Amino acid sequence: MRGLAVPAALVGMLGVAGLAFGRLYSDPLAARLFVGAAAGAVTVSVAARRLPSATVAPLSVLGLAGYTLLAVRLTAAASHLGGPLSRLTVDALANGVPRVLTAMIPIEPQPDTVGVPVVATWLAGLAGGELALRGRRTLLACLPPGLLYASVLYVVGPNAERVLWQPLCFAGFAAVALAVSARNGNDDAVPELTGAQRAALRVRVAAGTAAGLAGTLALVAVVAPPVAHGVGRHPADPRRYVTPPQQDILDESPLVRLSGWALGPDQRLFDVRLSGGAGGETRIRLAVLSDYDGVTWRVGATYRPAGRVLAGPRATGDRTAPVTQRITIDELDGRLVPAAAVPERIDGARVSFDQASGTIAIPEGLRPGLGYTVVSRAPKIDVNLLPSAGAPSGPTVARFMRVGSDAPKEMQQLGQKLAEGNPTPYARAQAIEQFLAEHYRLVSDAPSGHAYPNLTFFLFGPPGGGGQRGTSEQFAAAFAVLGRLVGLPTRVVVGFRVRPGSPTVRGADALAWPEVLFDGVGWVAFNPLPQPDTRPRPVEDDFKPRPEQSTPPPSTAPPPSVAPSSAAPSRSASAAAVAAGPPVGTLVAVTGIFGVPVLCVALIVLLRRSQRRRRLYEGDPPGRVLGAWREVLDALRLAGRPPPPHLAPTEVADHAARVVAAPPGLRPAAPDLAELAGLVNAVAFAPCSVPPGGSFPGGSSPGGSFPGGSSPGGVPPGGVEPAQAELAAAQATAYIADLRARRPWWRWLLWSADPRPVWWARRNHR
């Protein structure tokens, strides 16, 4: 029994660590697997304690492999994941750490969320068991379980409630192991000692005990105050250092897609079958946009890998009856997943979830035929609390109050006008909703856009010129901005309406609506869209923007006393007109202000063209190949995507291909630089005719793209044919033209006038 006490204590310590980590999971299966790994590792060490030490590690590794496969199989079956067992195991071990650190809490036990913790627990058990049983170093054997437990506590951080019994049990197991393995210190075990020697031994033991006790008390006195002071502190969360995958622009700002869906009203996006709920029209949410910078409404969400159980935003009251949606994707693309608010469970797809907004995303993207089932329960809104509800404020809602750069004065004046006579937040929200619904027209062919210039034109533009009309994009964005200008925390939701009896959701069903946050109530949706077949009232009847104070009032000139004559002006009148013209000094100053920049730009353009001509078409073939390569490197730097200096030419070619990569079908593929990279390698690494210390044609190295960044020191005699140099120039020219065409229009215009390539060339030459 004494021999089994230490292994049992090790299993207890490792089991406590597994139970502590299991608090992050939604199912006790994870904690059971961790405790089983601890027991399995120590059991293998106990069973093989009489075998040679060289055989223990292979046996334990075989046991670990079998147990890991068992854990992957159990968790895959519990989470309904399909696929070969080998593929699931490799993915679990390769991606386990980032998946655990980015997964939504509570984490569902899946192969990729339990694989790495199982392996870590088994290895800690193997190390501790060998140190205790074979090395007989019990104190040292407690180190692996201690490190594992400390790592678990750091990873758990503030994501689980405090539990006092687990650290006490861990310390108790360690104390039992040390007490059982303690050696008998009775001095009678050495009978040949004399009385004087025994007395001296007792004195030395007493002195050593006193010194150890004094050192322990001193250590406690030093360490105890900061430990006690830190008990009440909020622990650090390592998950904040790991950034989950980000969304692309269409998923980050899906509001711009509404105009496209409105122009294709018959496009089949997805099919949905509903069960449960109160009946009537149901709205399916796609995205919640919370951040606005004056140009774009953005999602601003943090999507973390989630299991089937989704822990959404905390509700302030009761929830409605659950609504089950069976959704099958048709032509809807992107990564955002449509679902009714607020989803609590999803089956049929591995998703990521944003707890703040309650929206879902699929990292791999939607595909036709994808089917999944979502169970949602929306919070109940007590309409009796709305008239007296206040609007929250403070840092927690600051993101819902930002309006980006300075809002147009017309919009600020309109917000002040609508807030007059409406002291409560709900009254102000109703005033904005009513104003937009009564004065503007809902159309399907309005251009997309919700930046300040677009909203200003939508609110105050002339009706005959396209103003005062828009899609739900402009209505929702205008409501949200006006609400923030009058102190309401707002956001924009993009989604779809599901009509009763029509399971197919089409492009005409896409819409956006605003929501306002109220104290004690939560987010409340508003509908600023006009009713069908209603004639909007002119905006000028109820609101006319005041002119800016800096604009002088118009003055009326006195009527002329003499009728105007159509005769030609006299010579004196012409001379007076010339005399009244601008002075010569003013003309010189204006010419200098505008002429000098134009001359500088023209000079830079000429220098760039001359440099390009020298590189591509002058000199020997090796120099022209390197010149073409330098042109490509300069173009990548101009585009803001320079290759790392340690890459080889072929790797730089792959990097260049990724820079101009585009989704299939959007535009033709960019020219390939693989052959140019091969020519650069031939020039750089072929037998040299220039002695060490020589230079390349053109006076510089290929731009830092060779292994190690060093100069090869020469060029081969006749290693590159003139035709190959012409091919290199053609490939470089075609690639640079394609790269430039993918830049924004203003960067496309400034491409040839950028002086940096000239400076780069001169610096490389020096």
Side-chain angles (χ1 to χ4, degrees), residues 737-761:
D738 187 272
L739 180 62
R740 180 183 179 185
R742 298 172 188 263
R743 300 299 96 192
W745 64 270
W746 59 273
R747 296 189 67 176
W748 182 86
L749 291 176
L750 298 177
W751 184 279
S752 299
D754 197 320
R756 289 180 295 172
V758 179
W759 164 250
W760 294 335

Side-chain angles (χ1 to χ4, degrees), residues 119-168:
V119 173
T121 304
W122 188 285
L123 295 179
L126 171 62
E130 289 302 298
L131 289 173
L133 299 175
R134 199 175 297 273
R136 299 187 181 276
R137 296 290 187 268
T138 305
L139 181 60
L140 190 60
C142 294
L143 181 61
L147 293 177
L148 179 66
Y149 188 44
S151 303
V152 166
L153 293 180
Y154 177 70
V155 173
V156 171
N159 300 301
E161 297 181 357
R162 297 178 181 177
V163 178
L164 182 60
W165 66 269
Q166 290 181 353
L168 294 179

Side-chain angles (χ1 to χ4, degrees), residues 620-695:
D620 55 357
R624 290 158 58 188
V625 169
L626 297 181
W629 188 249
R630 282 191 289 270
E631 284 290 312
V632 171
L633 296 179
D634 289 348
L636 291 173
R637 295 181 69 179
L638 286 176
R641 299 292 297 276
H646 65 276
L647 297 184
T650 53
E651 296 172 328
V652 173
D654 295 338
H655 170 81
R658 290 191 297 270
V659 169
V660 296
L666 295 184
R667 62 186 304 153
D672 190 11
L673 297 178
E675 194 167 354
L676 175 57
L679 293 175
V680 172
N681 278 330
V683 172
F685 298 109
C688 300
S689 62
V690 179
S695 63

